[in-house]
Amino acid sequence: MIPKIALITGGSRGLGKNMALRLAEAGKDIIITYNTNKEDALEVVKTIEDMGRKAVALKLDVNIISSLDSFLASVSEVLNENWNTTTFDYLVNNAGVGATIAYSDATEEDFDRLLNIHFKSVYFLSQKALPLLNDGGSIVNISSGTTRFCNPGYSIYASMKGAVETFTRYLAKEVGPRGITANIIAPGPIETDFNNAAIRSNSQLKERLSTMTALGRVGEANDIGGIVAFLCSKDGHWINGQRIEASGGISL
Protein backbone atom coordinates (compact mmCIF):
# COMPACT_ATOMS: atom_id res chain seq x y z
CA MET A 1 0.00 0.00 0.00
CA ILE A 2 1.40 3.39 -1.02
CA PRO A 3 1.65 5.72 1.99
CA LYS A 4 0.23 9.21 2.00
CA ILE A 5 2.81 11.71 0.73
CA ALA A 6 3.06 15.42 1.53
CA LEU A 7 4.95 18.07 -0.44
CA ILE A 8 5.99 20.99 1.76
CA THR A 9 7.72 24.02 0.30
CA GLY A 10 10.30 25.72 2.49
CA GLY A 11 10.74 22.69 4.72
CA SER A 12 14.37 23.04 5.76
CA ARG A 13 13.80 25.21 8.83
CA GLY A 14 11.27 27.03 11.00
CA LEU A 15 7.60 26.38 10.44
CA GLY A 16 8.14 24.21 7.37
CA LYS A 17 10.52 21.91 9.21
CA ASN A 18 8.04 21.47 12.04
CA MET A 19 5.22 20.81 9.57
CA ALA A 20 7.32 18.10 7.94
CA LEU A 21 8.13 16.46 11.27
CA ARG A 22 4.54 16.59 12.53
CA LEU A 23 3.22 15.09 9.29
CA ALA A 24 5.86 12.35 9.49
CA GLU A 25 4.80 11.67 13.09
CA ALA A 26 1.29 11.23 11.72
CA GLY A 27 2.54 8.51 9.34
CA LYS A 28 3.04 10.55 6.17
CA ASP A 29 6.04 10.41 3.86
CA ILE A 30 7.54 13.77 2.98
CA ILE A 31 9.00 15.78 0.12
CA ILE A 32 10.42 19.11 1.28
CA THR A 33 11.93 21.95 -0.69
CA TYR A 34 14.79 24.25 0.16
CA ASN A 35 16.33 27.25 -1.59
CA THR A 36 19.77 27.79 -0.06
CA ASN A 37 19.77 25.61 3.07
CA LYS A 38 20.60 22.22 1.53
CA GLU A 39 22.45 20.93 4.60
CA ASP A 40 19.56 21.86 6.87
CA ALA A 41 17.13 20.19 4.47
CA LEU A 42 19.15 16.97 4.47
CA GLU A 43 19.13 17.03 8.28
CA VAL A 44 15.33 17.20 8.19
CA VAL A 45 15.29 14.28 5.75
CA LYS A 46 17.53 12.24 8.06
CA THR A 47 15.34 13.00 11.07
CA ILE A 48 12.27 11.84 9.19
CA GLU A 49 14.03 8.68 8.01
CA ASP A 50 15.07 7.99 11.60
CA MET A 51 11.35 8.08 12.41
CA GLY A 52 10.79 5.26 9.94
CA ARG A 53 9.31 7.37 7.14
CA LYS A 54 10.63 8.18 3.66
CA ALA A 55 11.70 11.72 2.81
CA VAL A 56 13.32 13.62 -0.06
CA ALA A 57 14.62 17.21 -0.33
CA LEU A 58 14.43 19.13 -3.62
CA LYS A 59 15.72 22.59 -4.48
CA LEU A 60 13.12 25.23 -5.36
CA ASP A 61 13.37 29.01 -5.60
CA VAL A 62 9.76 30.22 -5.53
CA ASN A 63 10.90 33.64 -6.71
CA ILE A 64 11.55 32.10 -10.14
CA ILE A 65 8.12 31.24 -11.49
CA SER A 66 9.60 29.79 -14.69
CA SER A 67 11.24 27.04 -12.63
CA LEU A 68 7.95 25.51 -11.45
CA ASP A 69 7.55 23.16 -14.42
CA SER A 70 11.05 21.70 -14.07
CA PHE A 71 10.56 21.43 -10.32
CA LEU A 72 7.37 19.41 -10.75
CA ALA A 73 9.16 17.22 -13.27
CA SER A 74 11.66 16.49 -10.48
CA VAL A 75 8.79 15.74 -8.12
CA SER A 76 7.44 13.23 -10.64
CA GLU A 77 10.86 11.59 -10.84
CA VAL A 78 11.27 11.18 -7.09
CA LEU A 79 7.70 9.90 -6.73
CA ASN A 80 8.48 7.19 -9.26
CA GLU A 81 11.93 6.38 -7.89
CA ASN A 82 11.08 6.40 -4.19
CA TRP A 83 7.44 5.38 -4.07
CA ASN A 84 6.72 3.81 -7.47
CA THR A 85 3.81 6.19 -7.93
CA THR A 86 2.95 9.27 -9.99
CA THR A 87 0.94 11.22 -7.43
CA PHE A 88 1.00 12.67 -3.92
CA ASP A 89 -1.69 13.65 -1.43
CA TYR A 90 -0.96 16.95 0.32
CA LEU A 91 0.51 20.23 -0.86
CA VAL A 92 1.64 22.73 1.79
CA ASN A 93 2.60 26.12 0.32
CA ASN A 94 4.83 27.36 3.12
CA ALA A 95 7.96 28.84 1.48
CA GLY A 96 8.41 32.53 2.16
CA VAL A 97 10.64 35.33 3.31
CA GLY A 98 10.18 38.11 5.81
CA ALA A 99 10.53 41.73 4.83
CA THR A 100 9.98 44.82 6.95
CA ILE A 101 9.81 47.65 4.41
CA ALA A 102 8.30 51.05 5.20
CA TYR A 103 5.64 51.98 2.65
CA SER A 104 7.52 55.20 1.80
CA ASP A 105 10.65 53.16 1.01
CA ALA A 106 9.03 50.30 -0.93
CA THR A 107 10.25 49.79 -4.49
CA GLU A 108 8.74 48.01 -7.46
CA GLU A 109 11.53 45.45 -7.14
CA ASP A 110 10.48 44.75 -3.53
CA PHE A 111 6.87 44.44 -4.62
CA ASP A 112 7.59 42.06 -7.50
CA ARG A 113 9.83 39.83 -5.40
CA LEU A 114 7.25 39.42 -2.63
CA LEU A 115 4.52 39.01 -5.24
CA ASN A 116 6.39 36.07 -6.78
CA ILE A 117 7.31 34.43 -3.49
CA HIS A 118 4.11 34.87 -1.52
CA PHE A 119 1.34 34.87 -4.10
CA LYS A 120 2.27 34.09 -7.70
CA SER A 121 4.23 30.95 -6.83
CA VAL A 122 1.42 29.71 -4.57
CA TYR A 123 -1.14 30.32 -7.30
CA PHE A 124 0.75 28.61 -10.09
CA LEU A 125 2.44 25.83 -8.13
CA SER A 126 -0.99 24.78 -6.88
CA GLN A 127 -2.38 24.92 -10.41
CA LYS A 128 0.51 23.01 -11.98
CA ALA A 129 0.54 20.42 -9.20
CA LEU A 130 -3.13 19.51 -9.57
CA PRO A 131 -2.47 16.70 -12.10
CA LEU A 132 -0.13 15.10 -9.53
CA LEU A 133 -2.44 15.59 -6.55
CA ASN A 134 -4.66 12.69 -5.59
CA ASP A 135 -8.41 13.11 -5.35
CA GLY A 136 -9.38 13.44 -1.71
CA GLY A 137 -6.15 15.25 -0.87
CA SER A 138 -5.54 18.63 0.72
CA ILE A 139 -3.86 21.95 -0.01
CA VAL A 140 -2.73 24.10 2.91
CA ASN A 141 -1.55 27.67 2.35
CA ILE A 142 0.15 29.90 4.89
CA SER A 143 -0.91 33.48 5.54
CA SER A 144 -0.18 35.86 8.42
CA GLY A 145 -1.98 37.53 11.28
CA THR A 146 -0.93 40.81 9.66
CA THR A 147 -3.82 40.51 7.23
CA ARG A 148 -6.10 41.22 10.21
CA PHE A 149 -3.98 43.57 12.37
CA CYS A 150 -1.55 46.07 10.90
CA ASN A 151 2.18 46.02 11.55
CA PRO A 152 4.03 48.99 10.01
CA GLY A 153 6.49 47.84 7.37
CA TYR A 154 4.41 44.88 6.29
CA SER A 155 2.24 46.56 3.65
CA ILE A 156 3.62 44.49 0.76
CA TYR A 157 3.95 41.23 2.67
CA ALA A 158 0.47 41.41 4.19
CA SER A 159 -1.11 42.45 0.89
CA MET A 160 0.27 39.33 -0.79
CA LYS A 161 -0.93 37.17 2.08
CA GLY A 162 -4.36 38.79 1.79
CA ALA A 163 -4.40 37.83 -1.88
CA VAL A 164 -3.60 34.22 -0.99
CA GLU A 165 -6.45 34.19 1.52
CA THR A 166 -8.92 35.19 -1.19
CA PHE A 167 -7.35 32.73 -3.63
CA THR A 168 -7.69 29.90 -1.10
CA ARG A 169 -11.46 30.29 -0.97
CA TYR A 170 -11.68 30.18 -4.75
CA LEU A 171 -9.31 27.21 -4.83
CA ALA A 172 -11.50 25.29 -2.39
CA LYS A 173 -14.51 25.90 -4.60
CA GLU A 174 -12.76 24.82 -7.80
CA VAL A 175 -11.00 21.68 -6.54
CA GLY A 176 -13.86 20.61 -4.28
CA PRO A 177 -15.44 18.37 -6.94
CA ARG A 178 -12.32 16.18 -6.70
CA GLY A 179 -12.70 15.88 -2.93
CA ILE A 180 -9.65 18.10 -2.38
CA THR A 181 -9.78 20.62 0.46
CA ALA A 182 -8.00 23.98 0.55
CA ASN A 183 -7.45 25.99 3.72
CA ILE A 184 -5.13 28.73 4.91
CA ILE A 185 -3.44 29.13 8.28
CA ALA A 186 -2.59 32.62 9.56
CA PRO A 187 0.06 32.40 12.29
CA GLY A 188 0.53 35.27 14.71
CA PRO A 189 4.01 36.19 15.98
CA ILE A 190 6.19 33.07 15.98
CA GLU A 191 9.65 32.79 17.53
CA THR A 192 11.73 31.35 14.66
CA ASP A 193 14.57 32.63 12.48
CA PHE A 194 11.99 34.14 10.08
CA ASN A 195 12.65 37.74 9.02
CA ASN A 196 16.16 37.63 10.47
CA ALA A 197 14.85 36.20 13.75
CA ALA A 198 13.11 39.51 14.43
CA ILE A 199 11.27 38.22 17.51
CA ARG A 200 13.91 35.86 18.86
CA SER A 201 16.64 38.48 18.71
CA ASN A 202 14.61 41.33 20.25
CA SER A 203 13.52 40.63 23.82
CA GLN A 204 11.56 43.87 24.07
CA LEU A 205 9.59 43.09 20.91
CA LYS A 206 8.96 39.55 22.14
CA GLU A 207 7.66 40.85 25.48
CA ARG A 208 5.40 43.43 23.81
CA LEU A 209 3.91 40.87 21.44
CA SER A 210 3.46 38.38 24.29
CA THR A 211 1.33 40.86 26.22
CA MET A 212 -0.92 41.27 23.16
CA THR A 213 -1.98 37.61 23.13
CA ALA A 214 -4.63 36.10 25.36
CA LEU A 215 -2.27 33.24 26.22
CA GLY A 216 0.52 35.60 27.20
CA ARG A 217 3.31 34.39 24.91
CA VAL A 218 4.45 34.40 21.31
CA GLY A 219 4.04 31.28 19.25
CA GLU A 220 6.47 28.45 18.57
CA ALA A 221 6.86 26.41 15.39
CA ASN A 222 5.22 23.44 17.09
CA ASP A 223 2.05 25.49 17.55
CA ILE A 224 1.58 25.52 13.77
CA GLY A 225 2.87 22.16 12.56
CA GLY A 226 0.16 20.23 14.37
CA ILE A 227 -2.57 22.27 12.71
CA VAL A 228 -1.16 21.43 9.29
CA ALA A 229 -1.04 17.74 10.23
CA PHE A 230 -4.67 17.93 11.38
CA LEU A 231 -5.83 19.54 8.14
CA CYS A 232 -4.00 16.79 6.23
CA SER A 233 -5.96 14.07 7.99
CA LYS A 234 -9.36 12.42 7.84
CA ASP A 235 -10.35 14.22 11.04
CA GLY A 236 -9.69 17.62 9.45
CA HIS A 237 -11.13 16.92 6.02
CA TRP A 238 -14.52 18.55 6.60
CA ILE A 239 -12.79 21.90 7.19
CA ASN A 240 -12.63 23.60 3.81
CA GLY A 241 -12.12 27.08 2.41
CA GLN A 242 -11.29 28.49 5.83
CA ARG A 243 -8.82 31.03 7.19
CA ILE A 244 -7.61 29.59 10.48
CA GLU A 245 -5.81 32.15 12.64
CA ALA A 246 -3.34 30.49 14.98
CA SER A 247 -2.10 33.37 17.10
CA GLY A 248 -2.83 32.55 20.73
CA GLY A 249 -5.60 35.13 20.61
CA ILE A 250 -3.71 38.26 19.57
CA SER A 251 -5.42 41.66 19.47
CA LEU A 252 -8.81 40.29 20.49
Side-chain angles (χ1 to χ4, degrees):
M1 181 177 177
I2 299 172
K4 300 292 187 180
I5 303 167
L7 169 59
I8 305 163
T9 65
S12 65
R13 59 187 177 86
L15 294 184
K17 174 182 177 179
N18 189 266
M19 294 168 191
L21 297 179
R22 295 297 296 271
L23 281 162
E25 287 175 0
K28 312 297 192 297
D29 286 352
I30 308 295
I31 301 170
I32 61 169
T33 77
Y34 65 92
N35 183 15
T36 59
N37 297 312
K38 183 177 182 178
E39 290 185 3
D40 290 346
L42 293 178
E43 281 295 318
V44 176
V45 167
K46 183 179 184 303
T47 301
I48 292 171
E49 290 175 341
D50 289 345
M51 296 165 62
R53 307 308 315 174
K54 287 185 178 180
V56 175
L58 295 174
K59 181 175 174 57
L60 173 64
D61 185 348
V62 292
N63 187 37
I64 305 175
I65 305 302
S66 61
S67 70
L68 296 180
D69 287 329
S70 61
F71 166 70
L72 286 170
S74 297
V75 171
S76 293
E77 289 177 9
V78 300
L79 286 171
N80 181 56
E81 292 172 2
N82 292 272
W83 289 277
N84 193 30
T85 186
T86 59
T87 56
F88 64 97
D89 301 279
Y90 312 109
L91 172 62
V92 183
N93 287 302
N94 166 73
V97 296
T100 304
I101 306 169
Y103 175 62
S104 58
D105 297 331
T107 66
E108 187 175 357
E109 182 181 3
D110 294 328
F111 188 96
D112 289 346
R113 178 169 177 261
L114 292 180
L115 171 67
N116 284 342
I117 292 171
H118 289 289
F119 181 43
K120 197 172 180 180
S121 68
V122 174
Y123 189 100
F124 285 106
L125 180 59
S126 299
Q127 180 197 66
K128 293 173 182 294
L130 283 177
L132 305 181
L133 195 63
N134 282 322
D135 290 356
S138 298
I139 301 172
V140 180
N141 297 325
I142 305 300
S143 181
S144 167
T146 56
T147 62
R148 181 174 69 82
F149 51 85
C150 295
N151 186 23
Y154 276 58
S155 64
I156 303 177
Y157 176 84
S159 294
M160 300 310 165
K161 291 300 190 181
V164 177
E165 290 183 3
T166 298
F167 162 62
T168 301
R169 293 195 296 273
Y170 277 86
L171 182 62
K173 192 75 169 180
E174 299 213 19
V175 301
R178 290 182 51 191
I180 298 171
T181 62
N183 292 287
I184 188 159
I185 300 171
I190 304 289
E191 188 176 6
T192 67
D193 59 356
F194 187 73
N195 199 15
N196 298 314
I199 296 173
R200 179 180 294 162
S201 60
N202 187 329
S203 60
Q204 291 181 327
L205 175 62
K206 179 179 176 180
E207 177 63 24
R208 179 173 65 83
L209 293 172
S210 296
T211 63
M212 295 170 64
T213 68
L215 294 179
R217 67 173 176 86
V218 297
E220 301 170 354
N222 202 47
D223 293 319
I224 308 301
I227 302 171
V228 173
F230 172 70
L231 291 174
C232 297
S233 72
K234 289 183 179 179
D235 288 340
H237 201 70
W238 195 237
I239 300 172
N240 195 21
Q242 300 304 304
R243 177 191 187 273
I244 301 169
E245 184 168 310
S247 65
I250 195 168
S251 297
L252 295 177

